[in-house]
Amino acid sequence: MKKEACIQISDLQFQWPDQKETLLNIPELIINQQEHLYIQGDSGSGKSTLLNLLGGIIEPQQGDITILGQSLRQLSSSQRDHFRAAHIGYVFQQFNLVPYLSILDNVTLPCDFSSERYKRAGASSNSIKKEAMRLLSHLGLEDEALLQKPVTQLSVGQQQRVAAARAFIGSPEIIIADEPTSSLDANAQESFIKLLFDEVKSKNTTIVFVSHDERFIPLFEHSIQLTSLQANKATTLMEGGQL
Amino acid sequence: MKRINHLAIKSLKYRKFTITLSIISISLSVILLLGVERIRNQVHESFASTISGTDLIVGARTGSVSLLLSTVFHIGYANQNVSYESYEAISKNPKVAWSIPLSLGDSHKSFPVLGTTDEYFEHFKYGRKQNLEAAAGHLCVHGMGAVIGADVAKNLGYSVGDELIVTHGMGDESFVKHDHDPFTIEAVLKPTGTPVDQTVHVSINSMGAIHAEFYNEEDSLAYDPFAEALAAHQNEHDHHHHAHCNHGHSAEAGGTPSTLTGFMLGLHKRNEVLLMQRHLNTYEDEPLSAIMPVVTLLELWNVVKPIQKTLIIISFLVLIVAFVGMLTTIMTSLNERRREMAILRSVGAKPRDIFQLIIIESFSVTTIGIIVGIIILHLLLLVAKPIISSQLGILINIFDFNMMELSFVSIILLGGLLIGFWPAYLSYKHSLADGLTIKV
Ligand SMILES: Nc1ncnc2c1ncn2[C@@H]1O[C@H](COP(=O)(O)OP(=O)(O)OP(=O)(O)O)[C@@H](O)[C@H]1O
Ligand SMILES: [Mg+2]
């Protein structure tokens, strides 16, 4: 069965303004829908930069990225912002939450920026608030007293689960996770990844997960080395979590 | 737009402590700036309208400002007086339309007592050429009648028919009281916002009389033999005016002052004022000073102008300090907010949303600061109004913004907005440079 491509990168070249050499030079990368891809790379190899490119935050000097059939190059920066809001959920390494918003407000934040996600979240439960509660309780945060807490008082693990709920709300097609587990302890790391998988099980969601840590590779159906994508190297995805 | 406002409000609430401090410092400078301006303006207004319609004020040779102070503001003592003869002679000058004698130096419970004639109420004008008006009673000062200013009535609880006793000299404790000659209050004036409000007006003749009587009895200072003679003349003079003054002249006391503090003149032709002024300043029989009150008011005003300018400048400096405080607060928060901005970017915020978020903060702080400042200022003015009007005779308009104040408010608003541009732009640049991840 041939799955549809979700993310397509072609002839991409990028470097930051203060860099002398090209940081990313990716001739081709195709990530299919519903794929859970693990991208491994050393610190400083450009993983986060790649995720910035996928979200349309920054533009490549060369090449193009097509997401869900939409070429990012053809969008204005403001359209890209909108596109990102509608189709991508992000989870970062740490400090994922806006300190002055409540837990619920943090979760529903993407709905403020995207009417698509607002509608989908509302359709899934009756209201976006209910949907946020549902997601939070799925992720193990159902305690009323806990939900009243300021986000700054949550444990790191709890914060990451709130961030995951925010990424999931309104069912974006793509979840991008940038080392979301590296501030968690070993047990929490694995269960957090399992939670992610669990949540998207019944959906058509694509997950791109980057980390320098090789230990999680076995948990993913596909994994790739960032260095292997670079330059003119062949870009074949390895099946079964083997490098 | 709406969502950014929402976020901005929540973020302001989150940092309410530092934000409140910024708001307070802005409010304080607003209070200071507008308060100084309001008072300056009101002082100026009431100052400029202290006297109008009087062409010249004449007194013994002295500085123009001190003559104005003593005759119009009843401040300070004119230690030189004008002789009654000179007054008589000048009054008869064909150029002169009317003249009002003024005698000062007595007081009632620290309110100055002005000895004058009924003509005072006919010719003395203030503000936009307004006559003095009675709130109650009739404007008669002949005989032992007294007409009191609004503040005198209010502060001392006097009304028409009450009696009052005049004390020689100023101040409460003057022991020389003209005890057995009480004046009866004939009228209470409407408030004018001028020194008239604090003045007790009595007949210059009666004043002369009690002085004469007093000095006679005590057998101390010379009793001017002229007084009696002149009194007769004065009474004659008094006969043909004031239909509204329905008292008979029978009660008129006989004394006429030998000397006056000064007198006010109205001329037939305004263009003869300078000529007349020169004539008086070079008066042969006696050294006199004649001033045009409007000119001298301006002169006096120019004396206090630098003080006001300094106050305004200080207020602006306070405003700048407040702005620097606000800027510091926002700037120091920017770095710790880079993470927050990256999160907002990840959920779809545009760089200009980030810019807006910061601008809204400085703008709200400024706007709230201004509103709070204006409210507090007006509360203060409401409380202070009776005190200021009774102490200084200045009526402060409370909900009346003049152009200057409005322009100050817009300067502050604009200043807040402009100052907000800097951190907003920095934040905007950070969020572009940082992307979704920050390296701090
Ligand atoms: N916003 C930025 N501006 C300028 N240079 C940047 C920026 N972000 C990253 N870089 C540079 O690009 C290179 C790759 O950084 P990136 O953050 O993509 O690495 P990474 O693979 O995510 O590393 P890590 O595993 O430590 O997160 C680094 O040399 C870094 O200095
Ligand atoms: Mg990274």
Side-chain angles (χ1 to χ4, degrees):
Chain A
M1 183 188 76
K2 177 118 175 43
K3 283 174 184 169
E4 263 183 79
C6 174
I7 299 171
Q8 282 173 284
I9 295 177
S10 55
D11 299 321
L12 177 128
Q13 285 191 21
F14 179 83
Q15 69 190 65
W16 289 98
D18 52 354
Q19 286 174 333
K20 289 189 191 71
E21 286 174 11
T22 307
L23 174 67
L24 293 172
N25 183 354
I26 303 175
E28 192 183 31
L29 172 66
I30 296 171
I31 304 169
N32 289 326
Q33 277 180 26
Q34 255 181 317
E35 201 167 281
H36 299 171
L37 175 67
Y38 187 92
I39 301 178
Q40 197 271 332
D42 293 335
S43 184
S45 58
K47 304 182 296 293
S48 298
T49 305
L50 178 62
L51 300 187
N52 269 301
L53 286 161
L54 292 181
I57 296 275
I58 49 178
E59 276 187 290
Q61 280 87 19
Q62 297 259 312
D64 193 10
I65 299 170
T66 303
I67 293 177
L68 301 165
Q70 172 66 56
S71 154
L72 293 187
R73 192 160 277 275
Q74 282 162 10
L75 298 178
S76 71
S77 76
S78 138
Q79 285 171 321
R80 288 202 304 272
D81 290 328
H82 190 245
F83 189 82
R84 172 174 71 255
H87 303 291
I88 304 177
Y90 273 96
V91 187
F92 301 109
Q93 183 172 348
Q94 56 182 348
F95 309 122
N96 267 294
L97 305 179
V98 177
Y100 51 81
L101 296 181
S102 69
I103 294 177
L104 274 181
D105 284 344
N106 260 290
V107 175
T108 58
L109 196 56
C111 303
D112 293 340
F113 286 90
S114 164
S115 53
E116 288 96 325
R117 284 176 76 175
Y118 184 94
K119 279 183 212 137
R120 273 181 271 162
S124 169
S125 301
N126 272 325
S127 69
I128 58 166
K129 193 178 161 202
K130 280 207 182 112
E131 173 69 358
M133 303 279 273
R134 187 189 68 77
L135 285 167
L136 285 168
S137 73
H138 254 225
L139 295 165
L141 300 171
E142 61 260 276
D143 187 6
E144 268 296 328
L146 185 82
L147 293 184
Q148 298 309 315
K149 276 191 174 183
V151 294
T152 45
Q153 284 178 15
L154 297 180
S155 76
V156 179
Q158 288 166 338
Q159 285 182 27
Q160 293 304 78
R161 280 180 278 166
V162 174
R166 180 177 64 212
F168 289 130
I169 198 162
S171 316
E173 290 86 343
I174 302 163
I175 298 288
I176 291 180
D178 191 353
E179 313 206 41
T181 58
S182 53
S183 52
L184 302 177
D185 61 51
N187 285 337
Q189 287 179 336
E190 201 169 317
S191 61
F192 183 79
I193 293 172
K194 293 224 164 95
L195 272 178
L196 288 189
F197 290 162
D198 232 33
E199 186 53 42
V200 298
K201 215 163 26 193
S202 56
K203 294 194 180 116
N204 203 17
T205 311
T206 310
I207 296 181
V208 181
F209 189 112
V210 305
S211 176
H212 63 273
D213 200 331
E214 297 180 5
R215 282 180 301 154
F216 306 123
I217 293 173
L219 297 173
F220 287 79
E221 45 173 341
H222 301 286
S223 65
I224 200 167
Q225 276 275 353
L226 185 58
T227 44
S228 72
L229 290 172
Q230 297 269 35
N232 294 320
K233 285 176 195 162
T235 51
T236 44
L237 297 182
M238 310 208 168
E239 301 279 327
Q242 307 285 274
L243 274 177
Chain B
M1 181 69 199
K2 228 176 86 192
R3 57 178 185 242
I4 295 296
N5 286 341
H6 238 77
L7 285 176
I9 290 168
K10 285 186 170 150
S11 111
L12 283 172
K13 277 192 191 153
Y14 179 68
R15 284 167 297 117
K16 50 181 169 288
F17 183 69
T18 46
I19 293 295
T20 307
L21 286 183
S22 299
I23 289 176
I24 288 174
S25 61
I26 299 235
S27 322
L28 283 179
S29 51
V30 167
I31 292 172
L32 205 63
L33 204 56
L34 293 192
V36 166
E37 170 55 24
R38 177 72 56 93
I39 289 169
R40 187 201 68 83
N41 193 53
Q42 298 294 317
V43 168
H44 181 75
E45 220 166 72
S46 88
F47 197 78
S49 62
T50 316
I51 180 167
S52 64
T54 297
D55 292 318
L56 289 168
I57 297 175
V58 187
R61 176 70 47 85
T62 177
S64 52
V65 169
S66 71
L67 180 59
L68 185 80
L69 284 177
S70 63
T71 54
V72 176
F73 291 90
H74 313 148
I75 296 170
Y77 248 120
N79 34 23
Q80 299 289 316
N81 285 330
V82 184
S83 73
Y84 202 84
E85 296 96 309
S86 299
Y87 167 63
E88 285 268 274
I90 292 163
S91 300
K92 285 185 185 129
N93 187 306
K95 290 193 179 84
V96 173
W98 52 264
S99 62
I100 307 171
L102 305 168
S103 174
L104 285 145
D106 284 359
S107 67
H108 174 72
K109 304 206 168 154
S110 11
F111 287 105
V113 171
L114 171 66
T116 184
T117 62
D118 285 336
E119 283 169 304
Y120 183 78
F121 301 105
E122 201 173 301
H123 297 301
F124 177 84
K125 291 188 171 70
Y126 72 99
R128 292 180 194 86
K129 301 244 163 104
Q130 289 153 273
N131 273 99
L132 297 176
E133 281 179 66
H138 298 285
L139 299 176
C140 303
V141 292
H142 53 262
M144 295 306 279
V147 172
I148 59 173
D151 291 341
V152 181
K154 203 166 141 207
N155 284 15
L156 303 177
Y158 287 170
S159 54
V160 174
D162 288 349
E163 294 194 335
L164 55 82
I165 283 160
V166 167
T167 310
H168 192 59
M170 286 301 293
D172 276 326
E173 290 107 53
S174 271
F175 56 92
V176 187
K177 283 189 180 168
H178 307 298
D179 264 333
H180 26 263
D181 296 294
F183 287 89
T184 307
I185 296 170
E186 295 287 346
V188 175
L189 294 170
K190 286 186 183 165
T192 64
T194 73
V196 167
D197 294 353
Q198 282 105 52
T199 306
V200 175
H201 307 78
V202 300
S203 160
I204 195 164
N205 301 330
S206 311
M207 217 175 169
I210 54 175
H211 279 161
E213 199 181 304
F214 174 76
Y215 292 127
N216 241 358
E217 273 175 13
E218 299 295 308
D219 212 9
S220 53
L221 291 165
Y223 167 52
D224 194 343
F226 271 114
E228 216 112 39
L230 289 166
H233 179 91
Q234 183 66 23
N235 280 344
E236 227 169 82
H237 185 82
D238 270 350
H239 269 293
H240 35 254
H241 45 76
H242 291 181
H244 61 280
C245 202
N246 47 20
H247 276 275
H249 285 188
S250 53
E252 187 78 80
T256 290
S258 57
T259 57
L260 305 170
T261 308
F263 49 93
M264 294 174 176
L265 291 181
L267 303 185
H268 289 295
K269 291 181 192 147
R270 298 227 55 193
N271 56 7
E272 288 174 343
V273 171
L274 282 172
L275 212 67
M276 190 66 185
Q277 189 183 24
R278 180 137 26 93
H279 167 66
L280 293 172
N281 279 332
T282 55
Y283 198 66
E284 278 167 16
D285 300 348
E286 193 177 353
L288 295 178
S289 287
I291 56 165
M292 287 188 270
V294 186
V295 174
T296 309
L297 274 174
L298 204 69
E299 220 174 284
L300 189 57
W301 187 245
N302 284 336
V303 172
V304 287
K305 223 175 185 174
I307 304 172
Q308 298 166 359
K309 268 197 187 145
T310 315
L311 278 177
I312 296 276
I313 289 170
I314 291 173
S315 311
F316 265 108
L317 289 179
V318 171
L319 176 68
I320 289 172
V321 172
F323 273 152
V324 171
M326 176 176 83
L327 188 62
T328 314
T329 312
I330 296 176
M331 284 295 206
T332 44
S333 73
L334 279 194
N335 242 339
E336 69 202 40
R337 294 183 70 179
R338 284 171 89 148
R339 165 64 61 181
E340 168 196 332
M341 301 308 171
I343 297 165
L344 292 178
R345 288 281 279 140
S346 81
V347 295
K350 300 171 177 59
R352 73 169 137 86
D353 292 335
I354 304 296
F355 184 87
Q356 208 181 325
L357 190 63
I358 302 294
I359 269 288
I360 289 174
E361 288 196 6
S362 53
F363 198 67
S364 327
V365 167
T366 315
T367 312
I368 297 172
I370 289 174
I371 293 171
V372 170
I374 288 176
I375 290 173
I376 294 178
L377 174 68
H378 283 85
L379 291 179
L380 287 177
L381 287 179
L382 274 176
V383 173
K385 185 176 178 164
I387 302 166
I388 293 178
S389 86
S390 74
Q391 297 292 310
L392 303 171
I394 296 163
L395 281 177
I396 293 191
N397 297 333
I398 293 203
F399 293 103
D400 176 29
F401 289 89
N402 64 38
M403 283 314 288
M404 197 66 165
E405 290 172 32
L406 289 180
S407 67
F408 281 170
V409 169
S410 10
I411 286 173
I412 300 172
L413 211 55
L414 204 69
L417 197 61
L418 283 180
I419 283 172
F421 263 95
W422 187 14
Y425 176 70
L426 275 183
S427 189
Y428 170 90
K429 248 180 56 184
H430 285 166
S431 79
L432 279 186
D434 292 343
L436 295 180
T437 46
I438 65 163
K439 323 239 171 317
V440 194

